[in-house]
Amino acid sequence: MRTPALRRPRTRLFAAATLALAALSLTACGTNDSSGVRNEGAAPAASEPSAAASSPGAAEKPGGGSAGASGSSGTANSGHSTGHGGTGATTTKKHPAGDPGDPADRVPCSAANTKITAAPVQRPLNYMLLTVTNTGSKLCDLNNHPIVKFEGAQSVPPVMEDSKPQAVTSLKPGERGYAGIVLSAGDGSGGEGYTARSLEIGFDGSDRMARAALPAGGVHIDNSLRVTYWLSDASDALS
């Protein structure tokens, strides 16, 4: 009989048609882009690392977004880093440029940057007060004691060591410092003495002298002449 022979070709034809339909179904699942490369669809989101995680140098800004190396949020501004978690340099507080109180700009007080006045006082007896004013533009130091040179004096008077301050007297522009001068002994133990009508004051470390006006009749001095250190308080200079 010929019936089985006819059934085999039909069976094979049915199987081939089934395979063709399956191939067409797989082709429909994928698409080709313009370059001819098959795109089988996007990978699952969990399989791709985030941009922030893939970039070790990226940091999230407080307001959202990330601060990259080229972003303005990672640059230093006014001594502080604006990048979140950054280690920007901290600027040490300094005096403003040209600040007269800046210790780094201090200079010695001298005849060139001060004005001096000399005035006898009623108490204590036979004392005179020197007042020096900083007329310069910088902080100046009154080192040690004034170099006192009266008219006709053979030497400068010695300093009273017990008047030495704990720190150097410093003057900002416009500030004043003081020193006391013992002119003569009240009991006559300083000798006969004489009347001096002019006075010059020098500063430690400088050869230049500054004139200090005396009263019209001058002042009486004798061998007991002494001076104090430069001080910041007038009462200390006269004590």
Side-chain angles (χ1 to χ4, degrees), residues 107-128:
V107 296
C109 296
S110 68
N113 58 15
T114 59
K115 176 183 177 181
I116 298 179
T117 60
V121 295
Q122 293 182 345
R123 293 286 185 274
L125 292 174
N126 304 322
Y127 261 69
M128 186 166 66

Side-chain angles (χ1 to χ4, degrees), residues 137-192:
S137 59
K138 295 182 179 181
L139 182 99
C140 76
D141 293 329
L142 285 168
N143 296 307
N144 294 321
H145 57 86
I147 300 170
V148 176
K149 185 177 180 181
F150 281 100
E151 175 193 17
Q154 300 299 316
S155 61
V156 297
V159 64
M160 292 181 280
E161 290 296 338
D162 58 355
S163 67
K164 188 174 184 178
Q166 293 183 349
V168 173
T169 299
S170 299
L171 306 178
K172 292 181 180 180
E175 286 187 338
R176 297 175 180 179
Y178 306 92
I181 301 178
V182 178
L183 298 172
S184 59
D187 57 3
S189 59
E192 184 177 353

Side-chain angles (χ1 to χ4, degrees), residues 22-64:
L24 288 173
S25 178
L26 291 174
T27 303
C29 293
T31 58
N32 293 335
D33 59 16
S34 60
S35 62
V37 179
R38 175 178 292 277
N39 183 4
E40 294 297 338
S47 63
E48 292 186 8
S50 66
S54 63
S55 178
E60 188 172 345
K61 291 190 285 185

